[in-house]
């Protein structure tokens, strides 16, 4: 039989052996050592340990020979009792039924994750026509993150249904299609202001010019989509005219990274991902962030400085809503990553084109219009929770940090 042809087990008599009890080293080895005496084949294995309690399941072929199955049952029960474990053995035929077409990973973030919200998500998956094949925890802090492996329904309708449900019950839900592409090299591109950093850079400049409140009001309206971004940018930058260029270093020193930002970038880089930023802010800040964080790509607007002072103008191509999407495509082409393998993260209306163009668009603590339009939303103040949407566990992140 070739490697591409799975073994035919549909008509084979099988036994499902289930072991429950207090976990300790050697249980798995002991069970299979016991089974080895009966020359059975192993078809499937599942094991999980929760709060020190093990559930071990083994699907095996029934042993050949008269009376062999009864003897195997008695032996397994005797072995389990000697370790103060419980055993259950169920007869049947064949393997698990084939998973349905349409496979997705559903990641749920809760702070906390309640039984009520978990019930609602599971019911929504069922209503959409999906089947939950497996559930496991990705992280227990700073949020609880769990992943559901779902089959039987296509990704897009499932994403739509769960986005609505998640918004109603107050949990973050991300749905991505399953497959090899999830493990492939990716490009992650994020907004800067109120995403990578906690600040709005132009407001930091404005504070030094004594016009912070005026600039903040215009910024808020632009992020809500009420104002044209380019017009609002020119209007706000004009208020900075005359500032001494030394203000750039002061603003750089005032920048506060979002909690989890360093962890996110460090982990992505270890995995071979390429990471970039696009900003409606200014290269005078993003260039420093690129060097500080080891980013692969960075693009933003540039404040004009003449004779040591800000002129109140920007020079070069404007990075606006359409520009961010254009830069995402440019970065992807330079990185050699298909657009479907890109992840975009942002919070404002001027990020929407970029979020929609990416394979996965993540609205991070975003304005309502952005949360509604993005593929998924994260509403906790930790940027590294985006790692869980990519199937990366907190334990893997911590283990990598320890090995560094």
């Amino acid at each position: 039989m070739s490697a591409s042809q799975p073994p035919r087990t549909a008509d084979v008599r099988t036994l499902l052996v289930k072991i429950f009890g207090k976990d300790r080293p050697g249980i798995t080895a002991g069970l299979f050592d016991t089974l080895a005496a009966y020359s059975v084949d192993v078809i499937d294995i599942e094991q999980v340990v929760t709060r020190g309690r093990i559930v071990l399941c083994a699907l095996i072929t029934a042993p050949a020979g008269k009376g062999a199955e009864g003897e195997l049952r008695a032996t397994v029960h005797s072995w389990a009792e000697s370790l103060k474990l419980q055993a259950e053995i169920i007869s049947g035929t064949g393997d698990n039924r084939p998973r349905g077409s349409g496979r997705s990973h559903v990641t749920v973030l809760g702070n906390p994750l309640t039984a009520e919200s978990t019930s609602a998500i599971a019911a929504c998956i069922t209503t959409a026509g999906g089947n939950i094949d497996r559930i496991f925890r990705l992280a227990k802090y700073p949020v609880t993150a769990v992943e559901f492996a779902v089959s039987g329904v296509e990704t897009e309708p499932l994403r739509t249904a769960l986005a609505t449900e998640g918004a109603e019950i107050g949990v973050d839900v991300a749905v991505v299609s399953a497959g090899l592409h999830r493990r492939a090299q990716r490009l992650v591109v994020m907004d800067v202001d109120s995403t990578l950093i906690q600040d709005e850079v132009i407001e930091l400049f404005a504070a030094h010019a004594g016009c912070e409140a005026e600039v903040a009001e215009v910024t808020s309206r632009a992020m809500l989509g009420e104002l044209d971004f380019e017009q609002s940018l020119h209007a706000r930058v004009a208020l900075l005219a005359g500032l001494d260029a030394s203000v750039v270093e002061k603003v750089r020193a005032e920048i506060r990274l979002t909690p989890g930002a360093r962890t996110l970038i460090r982990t992505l880089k270890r995995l071979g991902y390429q990471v970039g930023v696009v900003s409606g802010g200014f290269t005078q800040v993003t260039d420093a962030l690129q060097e500080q964080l080891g980013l692969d790509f960075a693009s933003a607007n540039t404040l004009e400085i003449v004779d040591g002072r800000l002129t109140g103008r920007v020079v070069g191509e404007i990075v606006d809503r359409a520009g961010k999407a254009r830069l995402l495509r440019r970065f992807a082409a330079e990185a050699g990553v298909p657009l479907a393998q890109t992840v975009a993260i942002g919070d404002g209306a001027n990020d929407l084109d970029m979020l929609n163009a990416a394979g996965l668009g993540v609205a991070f603590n975003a304005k309502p219009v952005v949360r509604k339009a993005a593929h998924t939303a994260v509403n906790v103040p930790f940027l590294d929770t985006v790692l869980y949407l990519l199937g990366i566990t907190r334990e893997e992140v911590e283990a990598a940090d320890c090995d560094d």
Side-chain angles (χ1 to χ4, degrees):
M1 180 179 295
S2 70
S4 62
Q5 295 176 320
R8 299 182 61 85
T9 59
D11 300 325
V12 175
R13 288 193 65 254
T14 53
L15 301 176
L16 175 59
V17 181
K18 303 170 68 177
I19 304 297
F20 316 84
K22 185 177 180 181
D23 188 33
R24 72 196 73 178
I27 290 177
T28 305
L31 172 62
F32 286 98
D33 184 57
T34 301
L35 296 173
Y38 297 90
S39 300
V40 297
D41 295 334
V42 178
I43 298 173
D44 196 3
I45 309 172
E46 290 280 353
Q47 177 175 309
V48 63
V49 177
T50 305
R51 209 183 66 180
R53 310 293 291 185
I54 187 171
V55 178
L56 170 59
C57 297
L59 185 65
I60 61 172
T61 55
K66 185 177 181 181
E69 181 177 329
E71 184 180 337
L72 180 148
R73 288 172 176 270
T75 303
V76 169
H77 280 287
S78 177
W79 166 81
E81 289 174 5
S82 72
L83 296 178
K84 297 182 179 179
L85 300 170
Q86 293 178 282
E88 180 181 7
I89 302 176
I90 304 171
S91 300
T93 303
D95 198 349
N96 303 316
R97 74 176 188 275
R99 294 180 64 191
S101 60
R103 300 179 186 179
S104 305
H105 298 285
V106 176
T107 306
V108 181
L109 308 179
N111 191 23
L113 181 62
T114 66
E116 181 179 10
S117 58
T118 305
S119 171
I121 293 298
C124 186
I125 291 171
T126 301
T127 301
N131 184 72
I132 300 171
D133 301 314
R134 185 174 299 171
I135 307 173
F136 63 94
R137 185 176 69 184
L138 293 166
K140 60 183 178 182
Y141 73 91
V143 299
T144 301
V146 295
E147 182 173 290
F148 296 73
V150 176
S151 62
V153 59
E154 295 302 321
T155 298
E156 286 304 321
L158 181 62
R159 176 184 288 156
T160 300
L162 286 173
T164 302
E165 186 66 30
E168 290 179 358
I169 64 178
V171 299
D172 299 332
V173 185
V175 183
V176 298
S177 59
L180 289 175
H181 64 83
R182 202 182 191 205
R183 298 180 178 88
Q185 184 186 43
R186 286 190 177 186
L187 167 69
V188 177
V189 175
M190 67 190 89
D191 176 41
V192 175
D193 294 9
S194 297
T195 300
L196 178 64
I197 66 175
Q198 301 177 59
D199 312 281
E200 290 288 333
V201 168
I202 196 166
E203 293 177 13
L204 296 179
F205 277 100
H208 291 280
C211 57
E212 184 177 10
E214 187 176 353
V215 166
E217 180 183 356
V218 177
T219 299
S220 177
R221 294 182 65 191
M223 293 303 97
L224 290 170
E226 297 175 359
L227 295 176
D228 174 78
F229 178 81
E230 183 171 352
Q231 291 178 339
S232 72
L233 176 67
H234 289 303
R236 289 175 291 171
V237 171
L239 297 170
L240 307 181
L243 274 177
D244 191 279
S246 63
V247 74
V248 170
E249 290 301 324
K250 295 176 183 178
V251 168
R252 287 177 176 176
E254 293 167 349
I255 294 295
R256 300 167 300 160
L257 291 174
T258 298
R262 289 185 184 276
T263 301
L264 172 67
I265 295 169
R266 181 174 66 246
T267 304
L268 291 173
K269 297 291 288 180
R270 283 172 172 162
L271 291 170
Y273 286 47
Q274 298 187 62
V275 185
V277 293
V278 291
S279 177
F282 310 111
T283 57
Q284 282 83 357
V285 169
T286 58
D287 287 352
L289 288 170
Q290 182 175 17
E291 182 178 357
Q292 175 188 354
L293 299 172
L295 302 173
D296 299 284
F297 304 98
S299 187
N301 301 300
T302 299
L303 292 169
E304 185 180 56
I305 299 176
V306 176
D307 296 329
R309 293 191 177 276
L310 275 64
T311 65
R313 296 186 294 271
V314 292
V315 294
E317 184 180 6
I318 296 297
V319 179
D320 56 6
R321 176 170 169 168
K324 287 189 173 186
R326 187 165 56 248
L327 286 164
L328 171 71
R329 293 186 175 93
R330 182 191 305 171
F331 293 168
E334 292 177 11
V337 174
L339 201 60
Q341 294 300 113
T342 62
V343 179
I345 311 168
D347 74 299
N350 65 327
D351 297 316
L352 276 173
D353 289 3
M354 174 178 73
L355 297 181
N356 289 329
L360 176 65
V362 181
F364 181 73
N365 292 307
K367 314 304 184 285
V369 64
V370 183
R371 290 200 304 269
K372 185 175 181 180
H375 296 139
T376 189
V378 172
N379 295 300
V380 294
F382 310 105
L383 193 56
D384 54 342
T385 55
V386 172
L387 293 169
Y388 310 144
L389 308 184
L390 306 177
I392 302 164
T393 70
R394 171 58 63 178
E395 287 184 350
E396 290 170 329
V397 173
E398 293 177 346
D401 284 341
C402 289
D403 292 340
D404 195 17

